Amino acid sequence: MGELDGVWNVRRTGGALPPLYGVRKRIHGAHGETLFGRVPVTFDVRGLELRYRAPLPGLVDVLERDGDGYRGRTRLFGREIGTFDLRRNGMTEDVKSQLVKHIDEAHAMEQNVLRMLDSMISTTDDPEILQELEHHKIETEGHAQRMKARLEAHGAAPSTVKQIGGIVGALAKMPVDMVRGEKAGRNARDGYSTEHMEIASYELLRRIAERANDTETVTACDEIIAQERAMAETIAANWDKFAELSLRESGVPVP
């Protein structure tokens, strides 16, 4: 972990820089981004210099240590245009407890999704759809392992509480009744809904992790969200096939 890794609060101290209320810098290794609300501007880390990429080429933040933080000078094509301070976005115990809670819920959610995928796999006959489901099951097992690892990194373990509300409770109530009758449409409907519930859960966890300065959980969320979106897009691209399979399973002739 590099000395600059983490989430930093930015405070303008002089020059022509705009007001920097709520602006943060998030750094991981050789790369980072300045967050203006939800809008990120990316940069490369070269020692104590942050060199911005397009659309801001020529913009460089030059840092120097200042106690437990940094003083910064912003240069545009070599000319200094403003100064700022960086202070680490620390994690209070209250924030940590909320972070652990949300990671735990994400882990429990993935366990529910695995059971759902097993039901879908056991009732799917189409080879292409079956391949996608089996691939996503492997991804989901990885998601569960990553959330377990993040819990362990914070000195916690997966919850043994049997009654969990929120998104996990909603998943448990989903009508995954695939024993007989029309299955393909229900698989697609429930799978599509589940992917978006997972995306919402990880979007929330990601932002809590940012405030807790947990860059590893932020990275995990980004990568998991990308995989969940890809699965949702796969389902969406096959609605016509699901409709045809559903009709055939119900005994409706399809021309």
Side-chain angles (χ1 to χ4, degrees):
M1 181 174 178
E3 65 176 297
L4 291 174
D5 280 12
V7 179
W8 300 83
N9 296 324
V10 186
R11 183 178 66 91
R12 176 184 177 275
T13 56
L17 294 176
L20 300 176
Y21 304 120
V23 173
R24 288 168 292 125
K25 293 185 186 293
R26 186 173 65 199
I27 301 174
H28 183 70
H31 308 289
E33 56 188 7
T34 299
L35 300 166
F36 297 88
R38 297 185 63 182
V39 180
V41 181
T42 58
F43 54 77
D44 295 315
V45 180
R46 297 291 183 270
L48 292 180
E49 292 188 351
L50 313 179
R51 302 180 183 180
Y52 285 81
R53 304 174 187 171
L56 297 174
L59 192 69
V60 179
D61 289 336
V62 181
L63 307 177
E64 58 180 293
R65 293 179 184 83
D66 180 31
D68 57 356
Y70 293 85
R71 289 194 300 269
R73 292 172 288 130
T74 299
R75 294 176 176 174
L76 181 61
F77 297 111
R79 179 182 178 184
E80 185 171 312
I81 60 173
T83 59
F84 61 90
D85 281 342
L86 287 185
R87 291 294 178 265
R88 193 175 288 280
N89 189 333
M91 176 166 52
T92 66
E93 284 303 311
D94 288 343
V95 173
K96 179 179 179 179
S97 66
Q98 287 299 308
L99 174 64
V100 169
K101 172 187 172 183
H102 281 271
I103 296 174
D104 188 30
E105 288 184 353
H107 179 266
M109 174 182 67
E110 297 294 4
Q111 298 302 317
N112 276 270
V113 172
L114 282 170
R115 286 190 286 272
M116 183 182 236
L117 285 168
D118 282 337
S119 294
M120 291 178 173
I121 289 170
S122 67
T123 57
T124 296
D125 299 321
D126 184 89
E128 292 183 5
I129 297 173
L130 183 60
Q131 183 178 14
E132 292 291 346
L133 289 173
E134 290 176 338
H135 174 70
H136 194 55
K137 180 181 177 181
I138 293 172
E139 290 181 333
T140 302
E141 290 170 341
H143 301 169
Q145 287 297 320
R146 293 187 78 170
M147 290 301 101
K148 181 180 179 182
R150 295 315 303 144
L151 281 172
E152 292 172 348
H154 290 289
S159 175
T160 58
V161 177
K162 294 183 179 179
Q163 294 183 346
I164 304 177
I167 191 168
V168 179
L171 279 172
K173 294 176 182 177
M174 292 189 73
V176 192
D177 181 11
M178 310 296 179
V179 177
R180 59 183 179 178
E182 178 260 321
K183 303 185 292 286
R186 293 183 181 183
N187 275 341
R189 176 198 64 196
D190 294 341
Y192 192 74
S193 299
T194 299
E195 294 308 322
H196 285 87
M197 292 176 72
E198 289 184 272
I199 290 167
S201 180
Y202 282 112
E203 288 282 11
L204 180 59
L205 173 57
R206 180 185 186 278
R207 284 156 179 78
I208 292 173
E210 280 186 344
R211 285 159 177 77
N213 194 32
D214 183 353
T215 57
E216 291 190 34
T217 297
V218 170
T219 298
C221 288
D222 284 338
E223 294 173 358
I224 291 172
I225 287 169
Q227 292 179 341
E228 305 294 9
R229 285 180 175 157
M231 186 60 185
E233 289 169 3
T234 297
I235 295 172
N238 285 280
W239 283 122
D240 288 336
K241 175 185 283 189
F242 292 128
E244 181 176 331
L245 290 171
S246 295
L247 292 171
R248 291 186 187 278
E249 288 167 355
S250 299
V252 178
V254 179

